[in-house]
Amino acid sequence: MKPVFGRVRLLGCVLMVAALAACGTGDGQNGTDIHGKKEKKAPAMDMQQAGQRSEALLDGTLAAIRPPVEWTYGAPAEAACSTGLNEPTGTTTVTRSRNILTVVSEQRRGNLLGLVQRYWERQGFRVVSVNSDKDMPRIRARNADGFTVSLDVGSIGNVSVSAGFNCAENSAMTYPTGTPGHPGGPKAEDLRPRERSDFWSSDEPLRQ
């Protein structure tokens, strides 16, 4: 019986080593520290990079709208990120936007939303939210890099497009000339559409 007991004990040690290997050694390589808490991931980019990427996404979106529309810069927004205990994290959510000055009629809003959605999907975005409200529709999409884009129709028929990134590392930022509240731009953003378009402003339903 002695040899059998020795083999059983040896087998038990082998199984224990295998189990420890499967669970990890607690050195943080599996996303946890020695206390079992999840480790914080470093921000993927800083605020300047997030702002520049957001502006590029908006440039591409507006360029994809045909016939073209008139637009102006919207007011940028930054919101500090915090922990569940309301403690600062050294990161900030960055949002940039553009306001469409071309009058988009109720009859053509669906065409605009559909065109923009198809463009975003070609760029690798996935639609995450759709509001089909008759007067104030909205669509939101997100990509694998963590950027969110949205198109919103406001209460006065104004249309805005925004892009942003959650919790970028705090850093200084620059803004395009013409950004409201910043050098070279107006004090307040211009929301009310006023430019007419034979296509986008038409009250005639689009023929299929």
Side-chain angles (χ1 to χ4, degrees):
M1 296 298 291
K2 223 172 188 181
V4 174
F5 178 78
R7 286 198 298 272
V8 171
R9 186 171 59 181
L10 177 61
L11 178 60
C13 291
V14 171
L15 292 175
M16 182 175 293
V17 170
L20 288 173
C23 294
T25 59
D27 59 0
Q29 293 180 356
N30 291 329
T32 59
D33 62 17
I34 60 175
H35 302 294
K37 296 180 179 179
K38 290 185 177 180
E39 291 184 331
K40 296 179 180 178
K41 292 183 179 180
M45 63 187 70
D46 63 26
M47 292 171 65
Q48 174 68 8
Q49 293 169 320
Q52 290 176 327
R53 287 278 300 276
S54 295
E55 296 289 357
L57 288 170
L58 295 175
D59 285 339
T61 300
L62 289 163
I65 298 176
R66 289 289 182 269
V69 293
E70 297 292 327
W71 59 270
T72 187
Y73 289 103
E78 291 90 39
C81 299
S82 64
T83 66
L85 299 176
N86 206 30
E87 297 170 336
T89 62
T91 61
T92 298
T93 292
V94 175
T95 305
R96 302 290 176 89
S97 65
R98 309 283 175 87
N99 297 323
I100 294 178
L101 299 180
T102 299
V103 176
V104 180
S105 68
E106 181 181 333
Q107 290 76 9
R108 299 297 168 94
R109 288 175 188 166
N111 302 105
L112 180 63
L113 269 72
L115 188 158
V116 170
Q117 177 181 340
R118 291 190 293 273
Y119 171 76
W120 284 343
E121 290 174 339
R122 291 196 300 271
Q123 305 308 307
F125 281 83
R126 179 177 59 86
V127 173
V128 295
S129 174
V130 176
N131 182 343
S132 301
D133 184 84
K134 178 178 178 293
D135 297 318
M136 298 173 63
R138 173 186 181 182
I139 183 171
R140 296 182 65 209
R142 184 176 295 119
N143 71 2
D145 294 333
F147 281 88
T148 300
V149 289
S150 67
L151 187 152
D152 299 74
V153 177
S155 59
I156 58 174
N158 55 305
V159 180
S160 63
V161 186
S162 63
F165 183 82
N166 284 337
C167 299
E169 183 178 2
N170 288 350
S171 71
M173 284 194 298
T174 59
Y175 303 86
T177 301
T179 300
H182 294 274
K187 292 183 178 180
E189 63 180 336
D190 192 355
L191 293 173
R192 188 172 296 277
R194 56 178 179 272
E195 305 294 333
R196 303 291 302 182
S197 163
D198 291 340
F199 180 82
W200 293 114
S201 307
S202 174
D203 293 328
E204 296 293 328
L206 190 62
R207 294 180 180 179
Q208 300 295 325

